[in-house]
Amino acid sequence: LVLYKLRAKPLVNRSLQPGSMIKFVPFLGHTVSLAHGATHINNFFLELDRKVDFKSYELSAMDGISILVLHDWKDRRFVLKDRWNLFKKNVDGVTGLVDMMGELLGRGIFVVDGDEWLAHRKVAAQLFSKTQLTEHMEKVFLSNAKKLVAHMKAKDMETFDLQEMFTAFTFDTICEISMGVKRNETELFFLKKHQSKFLEAFDTAQRIGIRRGIDPRFIWKAKKSFGVGCESELTNCVKIIEDHILSIIRERKRADITSNHNDLVSLFVRHAERTNQPWMASDEYMLDIVTNFLVAGRDTTASTLTHLCMLLFDPKNMKIRDNLSKQFNELRTIDSDTVKGMTYLDAVLNETLRLYPPVPANERIYSGEEELSLPSGLKVKKGMRVHIPILSIGRNPHYFRQPNQFNPQRWINVEKRRDAFPIDEDLLQIFWAGPRRCLGKAAARLEAKLVLGVILQSGIQINISHKSEDVEPLYATSPVLMHSNGITASISN
């Protein structure tokens, strides 16, 4: 009976075998193939999607893992918009986001559903108002960007990891925005040339959480019960993270939290007082809130800035960089108003996000009791994970001509030269879509534009270790698109 329950279930859509590259084995299903690909799961799915010519397919593995990979844009719109309430982050008996990331993210906005998610979203939305963007966030982004450039100039010709530099930088900015306190991770990074123990623990905890979604439940649950392997490492990482974030929260609470402060901690504390819900102002609750926004505000923007610089400072893209540099140098000042009208900057950012989306894939679990038909005719049953392969969608030649080429011109609206084409969220879900669309979309784009502008206007040259565009980088198994081996760089003034 136990073996029968652990077996890989037959495919719901039997015609959707993903070809000869990965075959369904009785009892095991696709378990072995998923295990082999787990170290670099984003590369695994991208390679598989290319092999099947970007057509939908289904995977099944032991212990109830059933994954439907969607390449039909109508199916994706159906899941994300039309019937979004049926596709949840957590369903009983299936490894959902609470199982994968619960120790790290608790009951924060990115792992919960329903009323709990809505309550988080309503309060957090106040952080991303237009006033907040232009009066608070813009100042934080620019002041920290200028400090970053000063540190970079001081490290002339010394090698460092570009990816780690930007994760330290974005940690400082999101701490100031979400908690109203200034940190010095960027300065520490340039002193030591590597991440702090806290940031290392943060990255490791996320990787282990994603691995839980790949392994059969009985494997990772057994490791957790006995405290062995990566589960033991996760416990240690979470302890480092909680101690560090709680110390920042308590530091913020000791300061004045008034209506003049609109950081995330202040917003939630005032909301707790206004609605007579004191538990929302507790350290434990604030820990979950802040940790979730650190993941969103640090990692995703760090990924975007890393890939912007990786592409623009590649010698073969020098004309694109020179074009942007010229436009920035013609500005008297860099702010939200001046970058708003930079059509070519929007095109460069869109093209970077297409090639290297900060969130390479996302999943939801079908929660309905009845079998459901998608617009393409594919079937989903309760407990099936619907996989949105965002990294692969941006590389799909059926959507984008010469998809592996960095070509910002494809986003320029020739008829209306003042505007760049926006990213169609029905086609490419960079910032998700529908009711769960990312609250921080405008803030993320603004930060990327302002920081890039300060870097280009400074005249510094970032020398990137050259990688052939014919060879796909190895990506870490992480919820955010990060390079497993980092990106070695140096600065020349």
Side-chain angles (χ1 to χ4, degrees), residues 20-69:
S20 58
M21 178 183 169
I22 170 173
K23 291 195 173 183
F24 184 91
V25 179
F27 186 77
L28 295 176
H30 301 110
T31 304
V32 175
S33 297
L34 280 169
H36 284 162
T39 306
H40 302 288
I41 196 65
N42 295 312
N43 294 85
F44 171 82
F45 275 109
L46 179 57
E47 184 181 354
L48 185 53
D49 293 335
R50 284 171 169 159
K51 291 282 187 182
V52 301
D53 193 28
F54 301 93
K55 293 181 173 63
S56 298
Y57 57 92
E58 187 177 335
L59 300 174
S60 180
M62 292 178 66
D63 207 3
I65 295 177
S66 182
I67 305 171
L68 183 60
V69 181

Side-chain angles (χ1 to χ4, degrees), residues 17 182 259 329 354 357 399 469 472:
Q17 275 273 18
K182 295 184 179 182
S259 57
N329 288 329
R354 177 189 70 81
Y399 296 148
E469 65 178 10
E472 193 73 39

